[in-house]
Amino acid sequence: MLGPNATAAAEYICGQLGTVNNKFTDAAYAVDNTYLLFSAYLVFSMQIGFAMLCAGSVRAKNTMNIMLTNVLDAAAGGLFYYLFGYAFAFGGSSEGFIGRHNFALRDFPTLTSDYSFFLYQWSFAIAAAGITSGSIAERTQFVAYLIYSSFLTGFVYPVVSHWFWSPFGWASPFRSAEDRLFNTGAIDFAGSGVVHMVGGIAGLWGALIEGPRRGRFEKSGRAIALRGHSASLVVLGTFLLWFGWYGFNPGSFTKILVPYETGSSYGQWSGIGRTAVTTTLAGSTAALTTLFGKRLLSGHWAVTDVCNGLLGGFAAITGGCSVVEPWAAIVCGFVAALVLIGCNKLAEIVQYDDPLEAAQLHGGCGAWGLIFVGLFAKEKYLNEVYGETPGRPYGLLMGGGGKLLGAQLVQILVVAGWVSATMGTLFFLLKRLGLLRISEKDEMAGMDMTRHGGFAYMYYDNDDESHRAIQLQRVDPGSPFPRSVTPPRV
């Protein structure tokens, strides 16, 4: 039997060990939250990439308009995701369809989510809105941007993310094994469907209901290229998006300090590194495939097409970046480039006009990315990322049967149906109310001068008396310069 001194010593030692253990636990939380915050900052930096890509892809006379819409996607999205979006996406029990707690972050943080998680998810929501803005560029009323962006980030996107990312979602892989769709749930790790298909299909309906830009197609049906005014901005935006994608995909683990094998060097940090590698390989392969594919089709080495091909590869690998081998990512990128080229060719045939190819790139390549997961997902990686489950279905071509592929096809169908029903209806109502498209006169003159008080680029001195005369003259389509004014030499 221990004496009083021995008992006190034992209690002291146990107390000290408990204190040390608590400090290790606190440190682990701090490391994981810091990692998630850093990833959120990377994803938010993609807004700079979207802004530059959009600006370079439109004509100079609409630069200020598209830049402003990108800023307001983030601002309006921040407010509406705070008020409604996060609650609909992750707000507790909901019978699998929609969340219903934590509106305006009430009763937050929770045991499972902190402010860093909210910020990370908000950065995803505004990315979806940014995708849509590119599809309807150069012809859309400003008020329509505000309405659709708020609706998309506050309701449409959060419901989809609840279905596939919330532990309560009806198709979530995080549900208990017996409750999962086809015993597996749909695997969409970082959002080929949740983000890219949602943004792409929303943009598809907006562009379809608005119709093509003036002069995009001749009466005979022949397509006329209305090229963006700055390939430099397109390339800058592409590299910024590439940089941000390392927060988009690897950051979706949300935690880094998780060992897979205790006491070894193999853990979630290894999965994060592998995810960065698969992301890089898919985008690089898609870029090179597009380079040579467009060379064969058009006879040119087209830098803007290569940039879109690169982004198409990223959009495709996003869904399965954490659960496939690096070699499979090369297959993903190769097919994504072919999907993008094919979708663009189809768009020309049906006279569909999307200035940034957003619907083709994010919608088409995003759908391929979900199918890719159903074909190439590896059992070991699925169990590491989503939790050990005996007999979990995995990729069809990896020997895992067709259940996972079936779940992925269901995701494609329900995302397309939900976004079509909601955003298609919204754009139709905006058109009927006269709030969607600008007038032909304003479109030909350019939205910067008619809606925003001046061009994005200063071609004259503020005190130049000729400025007033220039504003009153008719502007050529596709150029920010009046017919009677010669563009300055640079």
Side-chain angles (χ1 to χ4, degrees):
M1 187 173 183
L2 295 175
N5 291 337
T7 301
E11 290 176 352
Y12 174 78
I13 292 172
C14 289
Q16 291 298 105
L17 290 175
T19 300
V20 171
N21 181 67
N22 289 337
K23 287 186 178 295
F24 276 117
T25 302
D26 294 342
Y29 278 120
V31 169
D32 287 335
N33 274 274
T34 300
Y35 174 72
L36 187 56
L37 278 173
F38 178 72
S39 298
Y41 304 151
L42 282 176
V43 178
F44 179 72
S45 73
M46 296 175 77
Q47 294 303 309
I48 310 172
F50 279 125
M52 296 300 101
L53 181 69
C54 288
S57 298
V58 301
R59 290 165 290 179
K61 63 183 180 180
N62 296 309
T63 305
M64 189 181 295
N65 171 263
I66 197 66
M67 296 282 277
L68 182 57
T69 62
N70 275 268
V71 173
L72 290 177
D73 279 339
L79 183 60
F80 280 87
Y81 196 75
Y82 161 75
L83 291 173
F84 310 108
Y86 183 83
F88 289 148
F90 298 100
S93 178
S94 61
E95 303 302 326
F97 179 77
I98 191 170
R100 57 189 184 189
H101 298 96
N102 305 127
F103 289 98
L105 295 187
R106 184 178 179 182
D107 300 324
F108 197 81
T110 66
L111 292 175
T112 57
S113 300
D114 209 330
Y115 291 106
S116 56
F117 184 73
F118 165 81
L119 192 74
Y120 188 67
Q121 294 301 330
W122 160 73
S123 67
F124 272 62
I126 61 175
I131 291 168
T132 304
S133 66
S135 295
I136 56 177
E138 298 201 283
R139 60 206 190 274
T140 305
Q141 291 194 45
F142 189 67
V143 66
Y145 280 111
L146 289 174
I147 294 171
Y148 99 77
S149 182
S150 302
F151 186 59
L152 183 66
T153 54
F155 179 65
V156 178
Y157 166 82
V159 170
V160 177
S161 59
H162 183 83
W163 293 348
F164 303 104
W165 287 348
S166 168
F168 307 103
W170 64 269
S172 172
F174 299 105
R175 295 173 71 99
S176 58
E178 62 274 10
D179 293 332
R180 293 180 195 149
L181 177 66
F182 301 148
N183 297 321
T184 175
I187 302 297
D188 189 9
F189 183 71
S192 285
V194 174
V195 178
H196 295 286
M197 277 193 68
V198 167
I201 294 173
L204 171 69
W205 282 105
L208 280 175
I209 291 172
E210 277 195 297
R213 291 166 291 173
R214 311 285 179 184
R216 179 68 176 89
F217 297 98
E218 293 182 341
K219 291 183 178 180
S220 63
R222 188 173 72 91
I224 303 298
L226 301 180
R227 299 190 183 280
H229 78 282
S230 176
S232 300
L233 289 178
V234 171
V235 172
L236 174 61
T238 300
F239 273 114
L240 286 168
L241 288 169
W242 188 338
F243 176 69
W245 233 292
Y246 291 125
F248 205 93
N249 286 3
S252 291
F253 280 89
T254 71
K255 296 180 180 180
I256 191 171
L257 205 59
V258 179
Y260 292 150
E261 298 174 5
T262 302
S264 74
S265 60
Y266 184 63
Q268 193 131 291
W269 49 87
S270 303
I272 289 170
R274 183 182 66 248
T275 298
V277 170
T278 57
T279 300
T280 303
L281 291 176
S284 300
T285 303
L288 292 174
T289 304
T290 305
L291 174 69
F292 290 103
K294 295 296 289 187
R295 179 71 172 82
L296 291 173
L297 292 173
S298 67
H300 302 290
W301 305 102
V303 63
T304 55
D305 289 331
V306 170
C307 288
N308 281 341
L310 176 83
L311 298 176
F314 287 153
I317 195 61
T318 293
C321 53
S322 65
V323 296
V324 298
E325 293 278 12
W327 64 263
I330 295 175
V331 177
C332 179
F334 177 78
V335 177
L338 301 182
V339 169
L340 179 59
I341 292 172
C343 287
N344 283 333
K345 183 60 65 175
L346 178 63
E348 284 192 11
I349 293 173
V350 301
Q351 297 189 24
Y352 169 78
D353 181 26
D354 186 326
L356 274 91
E357 303 176 5
Q360 303 95 298
L361 192 162
H362 298 278
C365 294
W368 154 243
L370 295 179
I371 294 172
F372 166 75
V373 176
L375 297 174
F376 290 96
K378 187 173 180 178
E379 183 181 20
K380 176 185 177 183
Y381 298 155
L382 280 171
N383 284 322
E384 288 173 353
V385 175
Y386 291 96
E388 188 74 31
T389 301
R392 175 191 289 274
Y394 52 102
L396 175 64
L397 298 183
M398 306 297 286
K403 287 186 176 181
L404 178 56
L405 179 59
Q408 303 302 100
L409 294 174
V410 168
Q411 179 177 357
I412 292 172
L413 292 175
V414 297
V415 169
W418 169 253
V419 179
S420 297
T422 52
M423 295 302 295
T425 301
L426 176 66
F427 282 122
F428 177 76
L429 291 175
L430 290 173
K431 181 177 181 179
R432 293 299 299 268
L433 293 171
L435 298 175
L436 186 57
R437 185 158 184 162
I438 60 175
S439 68
E440 180 178 359
K441 179 181 178 181
D442 286 354
E443 185 177 342
M444 299 299 282
M447 298 178 69
D448 286 2
M449 182 58 71
T450 60
R451 299 300 176 103
H452 303 290
F455 297 128
Y457 303 102
M458 189 68 71
Y459 294 110
Y460 49 80
D461 293 329
N462 285 327
D463 297 330
D464 189 349
E465 293 182 0
S466 65
H467 178 209
R468 177 177 174 81
I470 292 173
Q471 288 189 6
L472 297 176
Q473 296 180 44
R474 184 162 57 89
V475 180
D476 277 341
S479 169
F481 300 101
R483 292 190 174 186
S484 61
V485 177
T486 302
R489 296 183 181 273
V490 179

